[in-house]
Amino acid sequence: MIMKLVIATHNKDKFKELHLGLNDLNINLLSLYDYPEIDEIVEDGLTLEENALIKARAVYSITGIPSISDDTGLEVDALDGAPGIYTARYAGENCSYSDNINKMIREMKNIPDNKRSARFITYMAYVDKQVELTACGVVKGMIEKKIKSLGGFGYDPIFYINEYKKTFSEMSIEEKNSISHRGKAIKAIKAKLIEHLNLLKENA
């Protein structure tokens, strides 16, 4: 049974959501802040899945501890699927959450309500010495015309879920995790991970 698992992200907000989703595995969850020698990992893949694997592989190769990571993209229909793999740096390198949101609001300024559909996609990747596992989660929503709340992170203040009549930023972290792209991806990767761990236990 794995005793340790590194969550391969320097993003404290993302780590918080991943930790919440994984903490019932009875595993010691570590973060990259436990490994200050690990710098930002260059994500030069062509897809979200490739980028998630790049991060998990890099952290596993350095630490020797099973690692899990994710990469998330926002695809806006009116922008032909942009920003996609460039979601985190939509407004440029080293941009803030606010920079990205403000650029999105500007780009969508003249888009009518019925053309503002979008989706968040998260790919999770797990790497150890024996396997590489990936899983995906998707949630559909709409891009708001203005910021609704200051809660959450990333694009949460303008990503509106029709069924819940609120943006991600207006939800608690538990509510968001129960329906979000990352929450769905965590649930999917956990199912694969539990199966893998059970096989390891049986073959021990």
Side-chain angles (χ1 to χ4, degrees), residues 50-140:
E50 287 179 15
N51 283 335
L53 280 166
I54 286 168
K55 286 183 283 189
R57 287 169 182 160
V59 172
Y60 174 67
S61 70
I62 294 169
T63 65
I65 297 172
S67 301
I68 196 164
S69 69
D70 85 335
D71 198 34
T72 294
L74 174 62
E75 297 182 350
V76 181
D77 292 321
L79 302 178
D80 296 323
I85 62 171
Y86 304 106
T87 295
R89 51 190 186 278
Y90 184 44
E93 295 296 330
N94 303 313
C95 60
S96 67
Y97 295 151
S98 294
D99 293 335
N100 283 332
I101 288 174
N102 289 333
K103 180 176 180 180
M104 180 64 66
I105 289 174
R106 289 196 304 272
E107 295 287 328
M108 298 285 287
K109 183 178 179 181
N110 297 317
I111 305 299
D113 291 348
N114 64 343
K115 301 289 186 180
R116 303 181 71 87
S117 56
R119 68 199 62 80
F120 262 122
I121 303 173
T122 289
Y123 269 93
M124 299 284 302
Y126 166 88
V127 173
D128 67 17
K129 67 179 179 180
Q130 293 179 307
V131 300
E132 292 186 346
L133 305 172
T134 62
C136 180
V138 181
V139 65
K140 295 179 180 180

Side-chain angles (χ1 to χ4, degrees), residues 139-177:
V139 65
K140 295 179 180 180
M142 305 287 290
I143 301 299
E144 284 282 6
K145 293 181 177 179
K146 60 183 180 180
I147 292 172
K148 283 283 188 154
S149 167
L150 296 179
F153 68 100
Y155 296 82
D156 286 0
I158 58 171
F159 192 78
Y160 182 83
I161 307 295
N162 289 318
E163 298 91 322
Y164 289 79
K165 307 281 190 234
K166 59 175 99 171
T167 62
F168 274 156
S169 65
E170 296 171 291
M171 299 180 185
S172 68
I173 187 171
E174 293 81 8
E175 185 179 12
K176 179 187 173 185
N177 259 20

